[in-house]
Structures are given as C-alpha cells and as structure tokens.
Amino acid sequence: MATLNFLTGNSGKLTEAQTLLSPLGWEIQFFEINGEVPEIVEPQSDNLTTVALAKIAQGVELLASQGRLQESLLVEDSGLFIDALPQFPGVYSAHVLKSIGCDGILRLLDEERTAHFLTVAALWTGEAVEVFVGRCDGSISMEMKGESGFGYDPIFIPDESQNGLTFAEMTSEEKSAYSHRGRALRALFDYLNDDGA
Ligand code: ITT
C-alpha cells in the first residue's frame, strides 16, 4: 500500500482523507517529525491557493531537511464563503471559527444563506507540486445540527443533501461524496492513478 504524508494539524481532515483514499489503496498518515506535526506559518493572504502553496513550500523544505524528499506530501487549505458576507469567513475561516464560532455566523445571517466551501490541495509527488481544487455549493442552516465532522459542518447543508441534512448529520463517507475535500481528493487520486504513481 502506498503511503501519503498529510501535513495538517486538523484530525478531521486526516480522517476524511483516510475515508476516501484508504479503500483505494492509499495509507494516509500525519506528517510528523520526532512524533509531532511541525508548525507551519500561514501567510496573510486572501487567496486559498497562495496559502496552500506556502504550506507545501514549507513542507517540502522540512522533507528535505529530513532527507525524505522522495516521499510524497499533501497539504490543503479550505474555507467557507458566505454570499451575504463577501469573502467572509473565507481565508479567515479558522480564526472566525475560534472567535465567534458557528453560533456567531448564524447570528449574522438573515434570509440570504447561500454559501460554498472551497478546498485547495497541494501535493508534493516526490518530484513536483500539483494542485487540486474542490468546491461544494450549499447553504447555511437556521440552527446547528448534527454531531459528526468538524468546524462548520453543523451549519452547512450541501445542495446535494437529499433531506436538508447538514454535513454534521452525515457519515464521513456521505460527506465526502459531495464535499469540497472529497472532490479535490478524488481529482488527486485520479492524477496519482493516471500517473502510475
Ligand atoms: P491545517 O492544519 O490543515 O491548516 P486548519 O484547521 O487550520 O488545518 P484550514 O485553515 O484549511 O484548516 O481551515 C479553515 C477552517 O475551516 C478551520 O477552522 C476548519 O475547521 C474549517 N473547515 C475546513 N474544512 C472544513 C469542512 O470540511 N467542514 C467544516 N469546516 C471546515
């Protein structure tokens, strides 16, 4: 089974990548140095791709410093974009979640509730960097619902959701079928397969 290192401090992201890619023959593991996920500096930017590329550049430097440059490495940056709140929380999604949380987002919204999630994943293949993007359109629920997943999952209803369920009311498999991350990682898998990696 091929191994993919995932440089992230978010265990929810790791679980979703494992759900999606393990059945396809990939073992996904945290990228760690001396048993710890290394700290990465995220640049101030209003662009997810810029952030993802900054993360992969730092990750590749760390691989090089460990003599592991031939290994593959995955990073990704994701954000929730709410139409009624231009660019918000967007690239500030992590900060906004910590400061006002899902409740705070619900308090800011009125009737206009359409939103989308974006993921920009950057993969170091051992030779080069490839970028994959996934988008999921949906809306913000009227209240928090569900216990699964992480982050904004209790308030996001994807358009494909049959019964108006939030991501947090779905299993990891169901969420991945529609989600921004699922789409980006399936594109990544197709690339790895086509490339014979
Ligand atoms: P990294 O270490 O990978 O950077 P992070 O949690 O800082 O992990 P991001 O900056 O990409 O990740 O995510 C921004 C915020 O958006 C963060 O608070 C996440 O919890 C949230 N988020 C990302 N993907 C999500 C998803 O699929 N469902 C709900 N919330 C999500």
Side-chain angles (χ1 to χ4, degrees), residues 8-10 13 42 55 78 94 150 152-153 175 180-181:
T8 178
N10 185 324
K13 289 184 178 182
E42 292 196 15
K55 286 183 183 175
S78 297
F150 65 96
Y152 296 100
D153 284 343
K175 175 181 172 184
H180 43 300
R181 181 164 302 103

Side-chain angles (χ1 to χ4, degrees), residues 7-26:
L7 175 50
T8 178
N10 185 324
S11 57
K13 289 184 178 182
L14 183 82
T15 302
E16 288 182 14
Q18 288 170 332
T19 298
L20 203 76
L21 297 176
S22 299
L24 301 173
W26 284 85

